[in-house]
Amino acid sequence: MAQQASTADIPAGSKDAGTVTGGCHCGACEWQVTLPTATCGFCHCKFCRSVSGAPFGVVLTLPIGQTKWNKAGQRGVFHQSDTGVRYFCKNCGTTLGSEVPAFNMASFNYTTIKSGQLDRKPSFHMNLESKADFYQLPDDGLPRYQAWPDAAW
């Protein structure tokens, strides 16, 4: 059964300070986040599932104020809902991440992190209320949340 989020359930970033960069496949878009408050989790929402082509997305999450775009000339914006936007590269199509200003939350696709810069494994499952019916969650011992956990950022 899914539980309510608490700050203790979701570990802080794996590094004490510094930045992590990521970007699209062709190099036209690049983002940067400032650590340490980033978390990483498996997101089972319909948006992450549809843009990843998988039963879940793996996202790095943090407050919007800790993010910046180093290269955004080819960054496309899709208004996925009344409250959030999703970013992608207009050149190569790579899904990059999203922002939900009402929650001061940004998330970036874990697979777009440039290799070697973040040594972290996903530490929770979220948005199980919209999980793909065919997908069986593994017995991995990670905390599970029906919706977006408040403490994820």
Side-chain angles (χ1 to χ4, degrees):
M1 175 174 219
Q3 56 191 14
Q4 289 294 341
S6 79
T7 305
D9 290 337
I10 301 175
S14 62
K15 294 182 180 180
D16 292 333
T19 59
V20 173
T21 59
C24 65
H25 179 70
C26 72
C29 296
E30 182 179 275
W31 53 261
Q32 178 177 308
V33 299
T34 302
L35 300 176
T37 61
T39 63
C40 184
F42 296 106
C43 183
H44 299 269
C45 78
K46 67 180 181 178
F47 298 113
C48 284
R49 291 188 291 114
S50 66
V51 299
S52 69
F56 54 84
V58 184
V59 294
L60 177 68
T61 61
L62 64 163
I64 290 173
Q66 290 179 231
T67 68
K68 78 173 194 174
W69 290 92
N70 295 335
K71 294 183 194 176
Q74 290 298 311
R75 182 184 69 184
V77 179
F78 170 67
H79 294 271
Q80 68 184 24
S81 69
D82 292 339
T83 59
V85 296
R86 189 165 292 277
Y87 299 113
F88 63 95
C89 177
K90 292 189 284 186
N91 192 44
C92 68
T94 301
T95 298
L96 299 165
S98 63
E99 288 183 353
V100 182
F103 297 126
N104 187 33
M105 185 275 300
S107 67
F108 289 93
N109 187 336
Y110 188 80
T111 60
T112 65
I113 294 172
K114 293 183 177 175
S115 63
Q117 294 191 342
L118 188 67
D119 184 19
R120 168 195 302 291
K121 293 180 181 178
S123 59
F124 55 92
H125 293 272
M126 63 184 175
N127 295 313
L128 294 176
E129 65 192 9
S130 57
K131 180 184 80 59
D133 291 337
F134 68 86
Y135 182 70
Q136 284 286 43
L137 285 173
D139 186 16
D140 56 15
L142 297 178
R144 298 174 180 198
Y145 306 101
Q146 287 298 313
W148 182 270
D150 290 339
W153 62 87

